[in-house]
Amino acid sequence: MKNLKVLSLTGLMFIGSLGFAGETYESLEAKFKITFPGEFEVESETDEETGTTTISLSCDYNGMLLIGNAFIFEEAVSEDDNLYSEAAEVVRICGAFGSKFKSKGLTIWSVGEDTGLINAMKCTGDFKGYIGNYYVIIQEYIEWQFLILGGKKDYDTNLEARFINSFEILE
């Protein structure tokens, strides 16, 4: 009987880990959708000087912080400048969160036929003790960024994977 209970609990945990019931955000203007594990907040603003529209998303879930940003530019980023612009964003975000930039920490992020960058984060300052990953991809007029952070004890790599794998670029 004891083995049956253990098997039942294991099965429930496995089934529960498969589903990613959450809330999906979709923007035709920013050409993407992503599913958050729970409730999220959305803010949108346009900089009158540059004409850049910024859509910011955030979700605090089980000790994890999931942040998304979409920037819609007035002028397209050339394909030749994509990698440079993505790398510059990685360095900027590392600085903002007190994480040392290490080029060894960069990996390629593939979304459909497009690629961007992933950078591992180990934060200091206001976010001391937080670890995670920063994702960035630029496609012509739009830049998408996602930052997933959590405490070392709370960090859930499965949650991160389900969240980031739910990201889709819409045509």
Side-chain angles (χ1 to χ4, degrees):
M1 187 69 166
K2 186 176 179 181
N3 287 339
L4 183 58
K5 286 182 183 179
V6 171
L7 284 174
S8 295
L9 287 174
T10 304
L12 285 174
M13 288 181 1
F14 178 72
I15 291 169
S17 69
L18 290 177
F20 191 61
E23 296 190 28
T24 299
Y25 175 80
E26 183 172 340
S27 171
L28 297 178
E29 179 184 24
K31 298 183 180 181
F32 82 105
K33 71 178 181 177
I34 192 159
T35 301
F36 285 86
E39 289 185 30
F40 59 89
E41 293 182 20
V42 179
E43 291 182 26
S44 182
E45 69 177 321
T46 300
D47 183 321
E48 292 181 25
E49 193 173 303
T50 64
T52 301
T53 299
T54 304
I55 299 170
S56 300
L57 309 158
S58 62
C59 175
D60 186 355
Y61 187 82
N62 288 346
M64 302 264 302
L65 184 59
L66 299 96
I67 300 170
N69 289 303
F71 300 96
I72 306 166
F73 304 115
E74 287 286 307
E75 293 184 29
V77 175
S78 73
E79 210 170 303
D80 293 337
D81 290 338
N82 269 3
L83 184 59
Y84 171 78
S85 296
E86 290 166 352
E89 280 302 304
V90 168
V91 171
R92 185 182 71 80
I93 293 297
C94 283
F97 285 87
S99 180
K100 291 181 182 175
F101 171 73
K102 296 178 184 176
S103 59
K104 291 183 202 176
L106 283 176
T107 55
I108 300 297
W109 177 34
S110 295
V111 179
E113 295 178 15
D114 236 327
T115 59
L117 297 174
I118 305 170
N119 189 66
M121 305 279 292
K122 185 176 180 183
C123 303
T124 61
D126 291 344
F127 291 90
K128 184 176 183 172
Y130 279 80
I131 60 169
N133 287 300
Y134 169 70
Y135 298 76
V136 61
I137 193 164
I138 299 173
Q139 187 182 76
E140 295 181 351
Y141 293 92
I142 303 173
E143 176 179 328
W144 301 277
Q145 300 178 1
F146 298 96
L147 180 62
I148 298 105
L149 295 174
K152 291 177 184 176
K153 292 180 182 179
D154 298 326
Y155 203 84
D156 184 345
T157 56
N158 291 324
L159 175 67
E160 175 186 0
R162 291 188 312 260
F163 173 66
I164 206 65
N165 289 333
S166 74
F167 172 71
E168 290 179 47
I169 297 174
L170 306 174
E171 294 302 320

